[in-house]
Amino acid sequence: MKLNWLLALIPVSVALNWFHADPILVFFCSALAIVPLAGLMEKATDALSDYLGPTYGGLLNATMGNAPELIIGISALRNGLIDILKASIAGSIMGTLLFGMGLSLLAGGLRKPRQSFDSEMVSINGALLMLGTFGLVIPAVFKFGAKPDQEISLEISIVLFMVYLASMVFTLLTHRPAVGAVAVKAELQEKGEATKEERPAWSPRAAFWILGAVAVVLAVVSDALTDSIDDAADAIGLTPVFAGVFLLSIVGNVAQYMNSTAFAYRNQMTLALSVNLGATTQLVLLVAPFLVIAGNLMGMNMDLLFTEFELVGIILSVMVARNLLADHTSTWLEGVMLIAVYLMLGIGFFYAPSP
């Protein structure tokens, strides 16, 4: 890969963060170091999807992509950065559904005017996202005070976590032959048209270990990036909310965006959407509830009570993304629409006052 030389910035970014260098320098070094890691993750996931199929390959990629989010979230909890943590969660949901998926639809549509994908996979993830959104709305409606809000959020988090476990049983066990079966065959046939040079040469075992190693390194680099984001945003002149919701979510999820865009461009739209939708579903049903539960165990006031701006952005993102995918086909124009909604939300958050 031509950008592998950027891997040298991994120790540089960690060292700069360790010695408390200029936060802007730490931020940009960390962001550039993530780019080649994204390429390695994409190759490893591509190799595994040859054996697992698009649905399971996308699920694995989404899980690995959210591993740094979990690690960063726990670090933020320890440091008491609750507002930035919740802004990052909201930003990741909006960024993945609008910007990440928009890039995928745009890239795929430029290669092939109209693409199809596994409708059952999209429907299941769409329904789970709607359910997760309801779980975020309830704490905002029943807002009584710090302690009751925390208790309500904890109980809802447990319910959401149980739903996530049920969805895994459904996907991997009871509906294993059905979910993604048609799309797996079609997309693997499409992949067979690729040249040997384009296909990864890693074995499943090697790809699995590489994917795990990249996830760990991504967590370390993302931790340095997160440590610098607040001061860097202040130096640039951005509000903490905008930095958390947009700047941090884009950089923190750049690996996922690059992977899904590459899959879509190769006409593997089921895998591309599985990465985006799977990551968002995990974020709502697994990562956010886990951080609430962990926060309560750590004695931190972590809850699911988002600001009005964040909540409206999440609801709009889920509704727009689900409606555009309702016909089970995609075009490049739909990708442009999703990106446009993301940019409009960005303008709104840029001018939104700090809470």
Side-chain angles (χ1 to χ4, degrees):
M1 186 186 231
K2 295 181 180 179
L3 296 177
N4 276 348
W5 64 272
L6 290 175
L7 291 171
L9 292 177
I10 294 174
V12 173
S13 62
V14 174
L16 288 173
N17 185 56
W18 178 268
F19 290 107
H20 304 288
D22 186 342
I24 297 179
L25 185 60
V26 176
F27 178 82
F28 282 106
C29 282
S30 302
L32 290 174
I34 288 176
V35 175
L37 292 173
L40 291 174
M41 180 174 281
E42 185 267 331
K43 288 181 65 178
T45 306
D46 195 23
L48 285 171
S49 68
D50 276 334
Y51 302 91
L52 300 176
T55 300
Y56 303 120
L59 176 62
L60 181 61
N61 185 278
T63 302
M64 289 299 180
N66 278 327
E69 193 94 31
L70 261 178
I71 297 172
I72 292 171
I74 294 174
S75 176
L77 283 175
R78 288 200 306 264
N79 295 320
L81 303 174
I82 305 299
D83 291 337
I84 293 180
L85 173 57
K86 289 194 286 188
S88 175
I89 293 173
S92 293
I93 296 172
M94 289 182 277
T96 303
L97 287 179
L98 298 177
F99 187 69
M101 198 155 66
L103 286 178
S104 297
L105 298 186
L106 177 59
L110 292 177
R111 183 73 178 270
K112 184 178 180 181
R114 183 175 294 275
Q115 291 184 309
S116 58
F117 43 82
D118 179 16
S119 60
E120 188 167 2
M121 180 274 295
V122 172
S123 297
I124 292 171
N125 278 279
L128 290 171
L129 282 175
M130 288 296 294
L131 183 145
T133 303
F134 294 156
L136 301 182
V137 170
I138 292 173
V141 175
F142 297 97
K143 184 178 179 181
F144 298 111
K147 189 63 177 176
D149 289 339
Q150 192 172 0
E151 292 177 354
I152 292 173
S153 296
L154 177 60
E155 293 168 4
I156 290 177
S157 295
I158 295 173
V159 174
L160 293 178
F161 182 71
M162 296 302 294
V163 171
Y164 177 76
L165 293 179
S167 72
M168 289 298 96
V169 173
F170 178 86
T171 301
L172 302 178
L173 297 178
T174 61
H175 263 59
R176 184 174 180 177
V179 178
V182 176
V184 166
K185 182 178 179 181
E187 292 193 352
L188 289 181
Q189 288 176 346
E190 191 75 31
K191 286 185 65 180
E193 299 176 2
T195 62
K196 292 183 179 179
E197 292 75 19
E198 292 175 329
R199 299 183 63 175
W202 296 331
S203 67
R205 177 174 295 182
F208 178 81
W209 285 111
I210 290 172
L211 196 61
V214 169
V216 172
V217 177
L218 267 174
V220 174
V221 177
S222 298
D223 194 34
L225 184 144
T226 305
D227 287 343
S228 63
I229 183 66
D230 203 11
D231 293 333
D234 185 60
I236 298 173
L238 301 175
T239 64
V241 174
F242 180 86
V245 172
F246 286 86
L247 191 59
L248 183 60
S249 67
I250 289 178
V251 177
N253 291 295
V254 66
Q256 186 174 290
Y257 299 161
M258 291 178 63
N259 296 344
S260 62
T261 301
F263 295 143
Y265 187 72
R266 294 201 301 267
N267 196 28
Q268 297 172 256
M269 188 55 71
T270 295
L271 182 54
L273 292 181
S274 181
V275 169
N276 287 307
L277 293 175
T280 312
T281 301
Q282 282 190 348
L283 194 62
V284 175
L285 300 180
L286 176 63
V287 176
F290 179 85
L291 291 174
V292 171
I293 296 171
N296 278 265
L297 294 176
M298 295 166 61
M300 305 300 296
N301 187 26
M302 176 63 183
D303 53 40
L304 295 176
L305 188 62
F306 292 86
T307 67
E308 293 180 2
F309 292 100
E310 293 166 349
L311 192 58
V312 169
I314 292 173
I315 294 173
L316 286 176
S317 300
V318 173
M319 291 180 61
V320 171
R322 193 179 184 194
N323 287 339
L324 284 183
L325 298 178
D327 61 351
H328 306 143
T329 60
S330 64
T331 64
W332 65 265
L333 181 58
E334 291 173 332
V336 172
M337 293 184 207
L338 290 175
I339 296 174
V341 175
Y342 185 71
L343 293 177
M344 288 188 286
L345 283 174
I347 294 173
F349 272 90
F350 182 79
Y351 290 102
S354 300

